[in-house]
Amino acid sequence: MLHLGGSQAQERCRLLASQISSLTERSIALITSYCSLDDGGRKRPAAAPSPLSAASDAPFKPTKKRRTTERVKRQVRVSSAAGGDVPADDGHSWRKYGQKEILGAKHPRGYYRCTHRHTQGCAATKQVQRADGDPALFNVVYISAHTCVQSGSAAAAAGQAAAAAQAPEHTPGAHTLLHSLTVKTEGLAAAPEEAPQGWAATAPFCLSPTAASGWCPAPERSPFSAPSTSENWGASPATSDSNQHASFPPFELVAGDVQFEFGEVVSALVGVPGEFHDDFDISSFFA
DNA sequence: CATATTTGACCGAC
DNA sequence: GTCGGTCAAATATG
């Protein structure tokens, strides 16, 4: 509303902002209900079957030949740091131990393990793969939680965010909601174009910040108004005088092949700031 | 020198 | 056989 405030259409602005807020809250409630009702998001709740569940729940049937080593996986999407070739630092020290070309993917997947694997026996690993669609985005899959103790102030500062991203169940307080939305299921959808259309039954929900600012918006702020130094989100570049204009939050919503940043939503709604699309239907946009 | 990255080989699952 | 994940020797970096 702040961002749209300069417009002449105050009432419509209020209406749109209200609709955005309402639908966003409903979406989050839906997502959290999925994540909180089960074991880390790996199984789907029977109480809320999807129309597509009959076909896509099949992979979740217990199979005797399935590998026995079930490991915790969480996938997040992060943007590259300052548009570089590497995702923003997550606060942990990783050592690359492999890289593979993945069938059907444009970019190779990098394999990292915790630097302290040998010294502290930390089993945490992660896989980083540049998204096919957006070169600035990386799909990062965290496998197993860190058991090591990070040292150094930088790691301690950023590590809080990283630990939260990787072990949300242990993170109390205001971040719980956000982190519960970063849960990734087993059997993840691969490349976006390979995922089924629409709100696929197997679609992993992932609400994540896309900016390098990390995972912890200040508690007193709304979860959707995290401060950021990133330049690839938010209002027009002209709004450089920081706090004079409201900025769009650096969050994206990912559901299988559906992905958009909230900045995109607002942009789609208003086009250039202060100019509305009168025929835009936010309900159909979210649907 | 210690530590990190690269990259082909290797291995298990399918 | 293919594919994805890991190993480890060679190489790079500070």
Side-chain angles (χ1 to χ4, degrees):
Chain A
M1 289 183 67
L2 277 173
H3 180 77
L4 302 174
S7 164
Q8 64 282 5
Q10 287 279 353
E11 265 316 304
R12 180 147 179 82
C13 158
R14 248 191 287 277
L15 179 64
L16 281 170
S18 168
Q19 287 182 317
I20 292 172
S21 174
S22 168
L23 283 159
T24 302
E25 285 180 10
R26 283 168 51 189
S27 300
I28 292 171
L30 178 66
I31 295 166
T32 49
S33 72
Y34 268 76
C35 295
S36 60
L37 287 176
D38 56 28
D39 177 17
R42 264 176 280 123
K43 284 175 281 185
R44 303 182 59 77
S50 157
L52 301 176
S53 60
S56 49
D57 270 356
F60 290 93
K61 284 183 183 173
T63 307
K64 288 181 180 177
K65 294 209 69 174
R66 272 290 183 211
R67 53 177 299 154
T68 53
T69 56
E70 185 154 334
R71 292 182 291 183
V72 176
K73 283 186 180 179
R74 302 181 204 286
Q75 176 175 335
V76 300
R77 286 186 184 224
V78 299
S79 64
S80 56
D85 295 332
V86 179
D89 183 19
D90 59 13
H92 281 92
S93 53
W94 300 96
R95 177 170 178 159
K96 190 173 187 176
Y97 66 89
Q99 178 170 304
K100 287 285 282 190
E101 298 289 336
I102 300 302
L103 201 71
K106 293 175 186 161
H107 307 288
R109 177 180 300 166
Y111 298 88
Y112 299 80
R113 62 175 161 236
C114 180
T115 304
H116 308 101
R117 160 167 283 205
H118 294 115
T119 57
Q120 300 186 32
C122 182
T125 63
K126 74 171 179 179
Q127 301 172 358
V128 178
Q129 188 170 6
R130 191 183 287 268
D132 284 353
D134 187 348
L137 277 182
F138 290 83
N139 293 320
V140 182
V141 179
Y142 292 94
I143 303 167
S144 301
H146 280 275
T147 58
C148 61
V149 178
Q150 292 278 331
S151 60
S153 56
Q160 184 186 3
Q166 293 161 42
E169 62 271 26
H170 299 312
T171 305
H175 309 321
T176 303
L177 171 62
L178 175 61
H179 294 144
S180 70
L181 298 175
T182 67
V183 171
K184 176 69 179 67
T185 65
E186 291 279 353
L188 48 118
E193 52 267 33
E194 291 179 353
Q197 289 293 319
W199 296 92
T202 58
F205 289 97
C206 176
L207 187 65
S208 65
T210 61
S213 55
W215 291 88
C216 292
E220 67 273 14
R221 294 169 179 261
S222 152
F224 298 111
S225 59
S228 171
T229 55
S230 172
E231 295 176 356
N232 62 357
W233 62 272
S236 68
T239 61
S240 53
D241 47 344
S242 55
N243 286 332
Q244 286 295 328
H245 298 71
S247 298
F248 301 143
F251 287 88
E252 63 176 351
L253 181 61
V254 178
D257 57 334
V258 180
Q259 171 192 344
F260 49 84
E261 298 184 21
F262 279 86
E264 292 178 29
V265 178
V266 181
S267 298
L269 286 168
V270 304
V272 295
E275 183 177 315
F276 294 118
H277 295 173
D278 282 344
D279 56 345
F280 192 90
D281 183 349
I282 188 172
S283 296
S284 60
F285 183 93
F286 273 88

